[in-house]
Amino acid sequence: MIKNLKESSTTIPQDQSGAAPARAVFDEQGIALYVTPDFAALCGGKAEALTGRSLLDIITFESPEDAFHSSGLFGKNADTPAGMIANLREGPHPALFGQNAVDIRFDRIRMAGGKTRIVASTGGDTAPDALFLKQIDAMESRQESAEAPPESGKIDMSAAAGELRHFLNMSHDLLSIADSSGRFLRVNTTFNKILGYNDSALNRLTFMDIVHPDDKPQVRNTLSGLMYDDARQDNIVDFEARLVAQDGATHWMEWRHKRSGDVIYSVGRDVTTFKRHEETLRQQEMMLREAQSIGHMGHWRWLVGSDEIEWSDEIYNIFGVGREGFVPALDAVNRMTHKRDVGRLLQAFQRAIIEQKDYEMEFRITRPDGEIRYIRCQGRCEHDSNREVVALFGIMQDVTERTLNEQHLTEAKDAAERAYAAKSQFLANMSHELRTPLNAIIGFSEMMQRQLLGPIGSERYLDYIAGIRESGEHLLDLISDILDMSKIEAGRMTLEKQPTDLSTVIEESLRLVSGRAEIASVKVMNEV
């Protein structure tokens, strides 16, 4: 198990001057064994991420021809990492870390026990001193002792594993070591805290015992393949699985497993909070899609100068196209836009960019099936730090039904106004036609009633003539009232107050109903 050097006087060897240079230690194959945080910072990463990686993946040489012997470049096995590492020249070499150039000194050191280590150092041309080499040798001895697996099926809490557990317990990840049957050999305190199991309880459990039932088939197949397939020895397997804590709570975990011999080393990260956030975000996105579908509305965004436009799912539905066979771009939208609305749409976008104001407009599109739809577009400007417009975004809503309803209402209103005008014209013409004969009837009956051309033989004719005259005047009043109603509807009626003889009105009213009263044997009396 590879460990990183920590920043302390017991783990980072120092020069005789007291300064701690940035260093990394590689084995004979060029695999990183120890990396100080300062050296990892040069690479733009963390020490944990660099251990186990090849020197050739970590360090880029400015002049490979100078860094390696010629045989390492063109001789036998020159194209293999092991061949290049074997021919690495000792001494300082300029190297690149991103955009930064740093001089790295390489020293090939013979350690106690016959092992060879390559030490990469910054901060001068001084080779690692004896204290550094002694401490590296001591750390490797402690590591080999710590990596020896304890008796199968028991949590190792012995003093020999104490120093290793200090490192394990400093991690926020769940760390565990298990045997070939899956029984826990060692865990860190983070494992105990998050899942709630103490070491005594874990002695009676396997990794599969705490896996969520729904995830057991996947995990069992993955770990079985890792454990019994020798070709996967030292491979790292990543997967997600849920673990059930002692209190019954479920924790989503990201797991990394590595097999070494008959032992599986596992690193787990609790991602339950992230999963909950993802689920919340997924539900919110689903609600947004449903709301947009109900409202026939979608959102879009266009980066100024770009050809393509970002669309939500509902806009694809509005335009009657699918994501697979249609790319939302300015040219494609223009082709679907009604030719009379293309200019208005482009002008609205241009005006929004120039004036940096919100905009709103309606335009028509012709869908691939030939159907015409009415679209309402609302948008705003997106600004950069200099208040320059860098993008336009907004919504598009299908308002076809509303627009068609408005058109139908307008047509109905126009039809009603035309009918009203025709009615008024008809009443005016009818009133004119009726008034002419009524005026003649009233005039001649008045002449006969007054006997202007001589007496009439019977006085009863005078009563009949009076009735004819009153009925004609009444009919004329009704026609005048109809015309007055037309004036009232048109708002052109003017009322005037004048004295009225109520007895005359009553007598005229009784004369109109007296005929029906006699037929019904009803006696109507006037006592005014």
Side-chain angles (χ1 to χ4, degrees), residues 40 385 424 491:
S385 57
S424 300

Side-chain angles (χ1 to χ4, degrees), residues 300 302 304 345-360 379-383 389 391-393:
W300 59 272
W302 174 61
V304 175
L345 185 62
L346 295 178
Q347 288 177 3
F349 279 23
Q350 293 172 355
R351 188 165 55 250
I353 296 173
I354 296 173
E355 299 179 358
Q356 300 188 9
K357 293 182 180 179
D358 299 346
Y359 48 93
E360 178 179 356
R380 294 183 177 179
C381 300
E382 181 178 323
H383 302 86
V389 177
L392 301 179
F393 65 95

Side-chain angles (χ1 to χ4, degrees), residues 258-294:
K258 179 180 180 182
R259 171 192 168 195
S260 179
D262 292 334
V263 177
I264 294 181
Y265 300 91
S266 304
V267 179
R269 176 166 297 177
D270 191 345
V271 293
T272 305
T273 302
F274 298 105
K275 285 290 184 180
R276 289 174 180 168
H277 290 167
E278 288 179 357
E279 179 63 20
T280 300
L281 180 60
R282 187 189 67 80
Q283 292 180 356
Q284 290 176 347
E285 289 178 347
M286 181 185 66
M287 293 173 62
L288 177 60
R289 287 195 299 270
E290 291 296 329
Q292 290 185 349
S293 177
I294 294 172

Side-chain angles (χ1 to χ4, degrees), residues 94-158:
L96 293 175
F97 294 92
Q99 301 296 326
N100 300 321
V102 180
D103 287 337
I104 303 294
R105 177 185 175 86
F106 294 89
D107 296 279
R108 201 178 301 272
I109 307 298
R110 188 78 171 175
M111 306 295 291
K115 297 179 180 180
T116 299
R117 296 290 181 258
I118 298 174
V119 180
S121 308
T122 64
D125 296 332
T126 304
D129 56 18
L131 177 60
F132 176 87
L133 300 179
K134 182 178 179 180
Q135 291 182 346
I136 290 296
D137 187 63
M139 285 194 67
E140 291 196 348
S141 299
R142 288 196 301 271
Q143 178 176 309
E144 291 174 356
S145 175
E147 286 184 342
E151 183 179 352
S152 177
K154 294 184 179 180
I155 302 296
D156 186 359
M157 301 297 292
S158 63

